[in-house]
Amino acid sequence: MVRIMSSYRALARNHDFTLLWVGQTISELGSRVSSFAMPLVAYAMTHSAFWAATAEAAYLLGMVGMLLPGGVLADRCHRLVVMRSSQGAGALLYASLVVAGLLGALTLAHLLAVALLTGLAAGMFAPAETSAIRTVVATEDLPTALSQQQARQHVASLAGGPLGGALVAATRWAPFLFDTLSYAVGWVLLGRVRTDLSARTAAGSRRPLHDLGDGLRFTWSRPFFRVLLAWSPLVNLAVNALFFVALLRLVEAGFPAVQIGLVEATIGGCGILGALAAPWLIDRIATGTLTVAIAWSFVPLSLPLALWNHPVVMAGAASVGLFLNPAGNAGVGSYRMAITPPELVGRVQSAMQFTSMLAMPLAPALAGVLLAALGGRDAVLALTALTALVALIPTLSSSVRSVPRPVDWPRPQAAQPVAA
């Protein structure tokens, strides 16, 4: 506990980490407001569920498509310039929706274009932010720093939906005004960062595709990273599909929207508590053991969902899972950053994030197919079995099981060329 409190105090005194965290908490809240509102605005304009879904898909497509190039930019260019460019572009893009809304000229094409382009900006920002955190935070403080990042995401998730709904009710363009301001605040705060965040390698030293290949080859050459490349997309697919089935069952059973909303609020609140507890868990439990335990945690938690279709049951099961999840994400993420040479952090992070997100758009489709073919109870049981099967991947991997506690993590060496 002493070490954890010392880490919190170190981060509280860390000027640049505080600026990054506060700025991106505000910016991420704005992004959650917009991502909640954009499908609603698209539906209000077209009365089509297809176009409402397309608005969300356009953002995800842009973000995923930009992650790998964003990793190269993060390792070749000044990270502060990359991040401020992304934030500035987001502010201008959402401002264009506000202006169009005020003039009564907002169109679906404009909305979809902004969704795609802001997704590209988010994909460019994420690897640069990870690289910046690796630079401004000491290795021993990484678990606490990434736990605070997890808390940021849950805070934004908890508040974004209700705030977005209230702003949409006021007027269609109000959520985009909020996001414009949130991006502008993030842009201003980034301008106060003092640390030199320039790239470790000269930008013109090699072609971008060679740099991208170096990052991918380094990732593939490490057994631990190879396991993550296989496990991350599959666990995201299984767990997201599982809880999507549970949500659809509540809707089909006719539970009021307010009760379903309270379920999501409860889950978000437990995620915040889990993020606060994550440094303590990471400090005391070997990272490999913690990863395997969390991989299996959703299996027993999902069984009540098959037996009882009720908001209280879903809130309880999902909340326990989301309480543990930040420790797993922060533990694995900080270990990955700790053992990666600083000049490769952006590319390794982007490769991991790109891979882990690839299967996520398939989760609602898988949930819908299983629900229609098997019914609610059997669909939950089938996805429980899939979750257990996926949990075997880290369980059977010695490269995962052998990862020690943070105090015993190795420190990275300078990157060596990896043969093609």
Side-chain angles (χ1 to χ4, degrees):
M1 180 60 71
V2 173
R3 183 161 56 245
I4 297 302
M5 295 308 299
S6 175
S7 183
Y8 272 117
R9 287 193 293 269
L11 291 176
R13 294 192 298 266
N14 188 323
H15 174 270
D16 289 347
F17 176 77
T18 300
L19 287 175
L20 286 170
W21 191 87
V22 172
Q24 294 323 300
T25 298
I26 296 170
S27 181
E28 186 153 347
L29 176 59
S31 296
R32 291 299 179 102
V33 166
S34 291
S35 66
F36 179 88
M38 204 165 271
L40 299 181
V41 173
Y43 185 84
M45 296 171 67
T46 64
H47 302 288
S48 167
F50 171 79
W51 288 115
T54 300
E56 178 66 17
Y59 177 86
L60 290 174
L61 178 65
M63 182 171 64
V64 173
M66 190 62 188
L67 281 172
L68 290 179
V72 174
L73 285 174
D75 289 336
R76 287 172 61 89
C77 304
H78 198 295
R79 285 125 186 196
L80 192 58
V81 172
V82 173
M83 290 189 290
R84 295 197 84 196
S85 298
S86 172
Q87 295 281 277
L92 293 174
L93 287 165
Y94 282 117
S96 73
L97 292 179
V98 176
V99 172
L102 287 170
L103 297 177
L106 184 59
T107 65
L108 180 65
H110 187 181
L111 191 74
L112 294 178
V114 169
L116 177 66
L117 292 173
T118 51
L120 290 170
M124 182 173 71
F125 182 92
E129 183 193 24
T130 300
S131 298
I133 290 173
R134 181 66 185 90
T135 302
V136 304
V137 173
T139 299
E140 58 269 21
D141 294 328
L142 282 175
T144 306
L146 293 195
S147 297
Q148 291 193 31
Q149 298 291 87
Q150 293 283 308
R152 178 186 87 188
Q153 294 170 13
H154 287 293
V155 168
S157 178
L158 181 64
L163 182 57
L167 290 172
V168 168
T171 183
R172 289 180 184 177
W173 50 263
F176 308 128
L177 175 61
F178 183 88
D179 208 3
T180 300
L181 296 174
S182 73
Y183 269 93
V185 170
W187 184 85
V188 170
L189 291 179
L190 283 172
R192 299 182 60 195
V193 171
R194 302 167 181 165
T195 304
D196 180 10
L197 297 178
S198 56
R200 297 294 184 97
T201 306
S205 61
R206 300 187 65 187
R207 286 181 292 177
L209 285 180
H210 286 173
D211 281 351
L212 177 60
D214 280 349
L216 294 174
R217 285 190 290 272
F218 176 86
T219 303
W220 188 252
S221 70
R222 269 57 181 178
F224 175 78
F225 290 162
R226 287 202 299 270
V227 174
L228 292 186
L229 288 172
W231 177 53
S232 297
L234 291 175
V235 72
N236 280 335
L237 173 64
V239 173
N240 280 282
L242 176 64
F243 286 109
F244 201 80
V245 164
L247 181 64
L248 289 177
R249 291 183 74 197
L250 295 180
V251 173
E252 288 182 345
F255 286 100
V258 64
Q259 292 187 22
I260 298 175
L262 287 174
V263 169
E264 295 196 2
T266 302
I267 294 171
C270 284
I272 295 171
L273 294 177
L276 295 175
W280 186 88
L281 292 171
I282 296 168
D283 186 57
R284 281 159 177 74
I285 304 173
T287 303
T289 303
L290 182 62
T291 302
V292 171
I294 290 172
W296 283 100
S297 65
F298 286 103
V299 176
L301 293 174
S302 64
L303 293 176
L305 299 176
L307 300 175
W308 299 285
N309 183 31
H310 194 278
V312 173
V313 176
M314 181 177 177
S319 294
V320 174
L322 264 293
F323 178 84
L324 297 172
N325 200 52
N329 288 339
V332 169
S334 52
Y335 176 71
R336 182 175 66 232
M337 291 168 63
I339 65 173
T340 300
E343 63 270 24
L344 287 174
V345 167
R347 282 166 283 176
V348 170
Q349 167 65 16
S350 65
M352 291 296 181
Q353 193 171 0
F354 174 80
T355 305
S356 68
M357 293 185 66
L358 274 178
M360 287 185 67
L362 300 176
L366 177 61
V369 168
L370 290 176
L371 195 58
L374 304 177
R377 184 188 65 122
D378 290 344
V380 171
L381 291 175
L383 288 168
T384 300
L386 176 61
T387 303
L389 188 64
V390 170
L392 289 173
I393 296 174
T395 304
L396 298 176
S397 169
S398 60
S399 66
V400 172
R401 296 195 313 271
S402 62
V403 178
R405 294 187 304 142
V407 68
D408 297 317
W409 287 350
R411 297 297 182 259
Q413 304 296 320
Q416 300 296 322
V418 181

